[in-house]
Amino acid sequence: MIKNLVRGTTALTLALSPLALPTAATAAPAAPAATAQVLNLADAVDLVPVADESRTGYTRDKFKHWNTGLDPADGCNTRAEVLQAEAVESPAVAAGCKLSGGLWVSYYDGQEVNDPAKLDIDHMVPLAEAWDSGASTWDAKRREAYANDQDAAASLVAVTARTNRQKADQDPSTWMPPHPDAQCRYIGEWTATKLRWGLTADQAEVDALKVYAEACETTVVHYTPAA
């Protein structure tokens, strides 16, 4: 059930005569970079395609994570890199990318955490939900990219283990962050992630998103379509 709403190319063809030969290979044009999108929440929700979900064939190991992260040379995996990026006070980093100390604020519940072992890295749209919503048709490389997506700040978030495990694989029709002030941000980031990865939503999920969008009228959604 929905919890209380927030308060607040075309390619060119060159005709060559039978005797004409190219003097050098012509490089293919680079694919255009994806354009960042900025929308109000209600308009963004309207862009999410509605479709039934199916979990047939899902297993968590079909999404390889955590991989070597953005910088394979730093010895840290995606989880550790996200922890470092989201720290309010940076942790110490020892050999083998062992983190200690530091400070984080888990926005789902507003809790301060000073032990990285007590944090989970949550996939904003859980892996099982992503599978249900279109990732079942992806190849392994794309699923790995999804599971380790650090190119969008909303995709992965450091939160208390308790809230991450309460959320599990639920969508906003059945689970919302317990901190009321987090809910508009959460709905915006959930919607941004669905749009970034071209994922669908079932009817109950869309209905929930629309209800929250009415309350979160000042929330703005930022996303860039994934490559």
Side-chain angles (χ1 to χ4, degrees):
M1 74 178 181
I2 302 172
K3 296 193 173 185
N4 291 334
L5 297 181
V6 178
R7 299 182 285 273
T9 36
T10 300
L12 295 178
T13 302
L14 298 178
L16 299 176
S17 69
L19 298 178
L21 296 174
T23 57
T26 303
T35 303
Q37 305 293 316
V38 182
L39 300 164
N40 67 53
L41 178 55
D43 289 344
V45 169
D46 285 342
L47 292 180
V48 179
V50 182
D52 292 337
E53 295 183 352
S54 173
R55 195 156 299 182
T56 302
Y58 170 74
T59 57
R60 190 171 175 82
D61 61 8
K62 289 183 177 177
F63 293 81
K64 181 182 178 181
H65 66 289
W66 304 109
N67 65 15
T68 55
L70 293 177
D71 182 7
D74 69 3
C76 297
N77 63 15
T78 298
R79 170 186 159 80
E81 288 183 353
V82 172
L83 285 170
Q84 292 176 77
E86 295 196 358
V88 176
E89 296 178 6
S90 298
V93 184
C97 198
K98 183 176 181 179
L99 307 183
S100 61
L103 181 67
W104 294 261
V105 176
S106 167
Y107 94 80
Y108 288 1
D109 52 4
Q111 297 298 304
E112 292 189 354
V113 181
N114 56 18
D115 180 356
K118 294 182 178 179
L119 292 162
D120 282 353
I121 304 304
D122 183 38
H123 292 91
M124 174 56 59
V125 175
L127 302 182
E129 168 68 21
W131 178 273
D132 298 351
S133 306
S136 61
T137 66
W138 298 349
D139 61 19
K141 183 177 180 180
R142 187 167 181 82
R143 287 198 289 268
E144 179 180 354
Y146 178 85
N148 298 275
D149 184 16
Q150 293 188 67
D151 292 325
S155 295
L156 301 170
V157 57
V159 296
T160 56
R162 178 176 58 84
T163 53
N164 183 48
R165 292 163 198 182
Q166 286 174 346
K167 173 184 173 180
D169 58 8
Q170 298 179 84
D171 69 37
S173 68
T174 56
W175 188 87
M176 286 290 289
H179 198 302
D181 292 344
Q183 294 180 354
C184 283
R185 173 181 171 182
Y186 183 77
I187 289 294
E189 294 186 347
W190 179 279
T191 303
T193 304
K194 286 264 172 159
L195 292 174
R196 171 169 169 74
W197 288 94
L199 297 171
T200 63
D202 64 18
Q203 191 62 58
E205 179 186 344
V206 169
D207 289 346
L209 294 177
K210 288 182 175 180
V211 170
Y212 281 102
E214 289 182 5
C216 302
E217 58 185 1
T218 62
T219 298
V220 177
V221 172
H222 301 257
Y223 75 95
T224 301

